[in-house]
Amino acid sequence: MMKLASCVALAAALMSIVPASAQAPKSTAASAAVQKEFSSFITRFRAALKANDAAAVAGLAKLPFQNDSAIADAAQFRAKIYRPDFTAKTRACLQREKPVYDRDGDGNDTYSVGCGEQIFVFTRTPTSFLLTDIAMND
């Protein structure tokens, strides 16, 4: 009887582990609505890049950029971010590379595009998608 109780306890313990490991994988695809919203955003963003329109790109970025108070307005964005980070080569890359969907640690929908040593991150905000980060591609 004691052996049977031990087996039942072991089986119950193993069964409690199985559901945690057998859960369905997280979806790595954006919903149709999110895809449509991002498609509209990236079309505008790429048009601004094609025209080399720094003011329009600044208007599609979350300011202050990367929560840096020194990049709080469009003029500061153009001077400190656009000029050094949006070279002709980078603008061409952003035109052709396919954005990759993900969700950030806060559960926000994001897309990212890697260009050389940089990753450009676009995050869905309550109002629309915006450029929210430029990080090093490691």
Side-chain angles (χ1 to χ4, degrees):
M1 187 68 167
M2 187 66 141
K3 191 172 185 177
L4 179 61
S6 294
C7 286
V8 170
L10 178 61
L14 289 174
M15 286 176 54
S16 70
I17 295 171
V18 173
S21 62
Q23 291 175 355
K26 275 195 314 185
S27 173
T28 56
S31 70
V34 169
Q35 289 175 24
K36 183 178 179 182
E37 184 179 341
F38 181 75
S39 180
S40 174
F41 166 82
I42 201 67
T43 298
R44 291 189 318 270
F45 189 81
R46 287 176 167 164
L49 292 176
K50 187 173 183 177
N52 198 16
D53 186 343
V57 172
L60 297 170
K62 184 177 184 292
L63 299 176
F65 192 67
Q66 297 176 316
N67 293 318
D68 184 343
S69 61
I71 312 169
D73 62 35
Q76 292 168 333
F77 180 89
R78 288 191 307 267
K80 295 177 180 177
I81 301 298
Y82 191 83
R83 285 190 190 118
D85 291 319
F86 288 91
T87 63
K89 182 177 179 180
T90 300
R91 291 191 314 270
C93 172
L94 287 164
Q95 294 283 350
R96 74 175 176 272
E97 290 298 316
K98 183 178 186 215
V100 177
Y101 174 78
D102 200 3
R103 292 183 71 83
D104 67 15
D106 295 326
N108 298 309
D109 295 296
T110 67
Y111 281 87
S112 59
V113 177
C115 289
E117 294 184 5
Q118 295 174 305
I119 298 175
F120 295 80
V121 180
F122 308 94
T123 304
R124 188 174 187 218
T125 69
T127 55
S128 67
F129 272 94
L130 293 172
L131 172 67
T132 55
D133 193 19
I134 300 173
M136 293 305 295
N137 187 1
D138 39 330

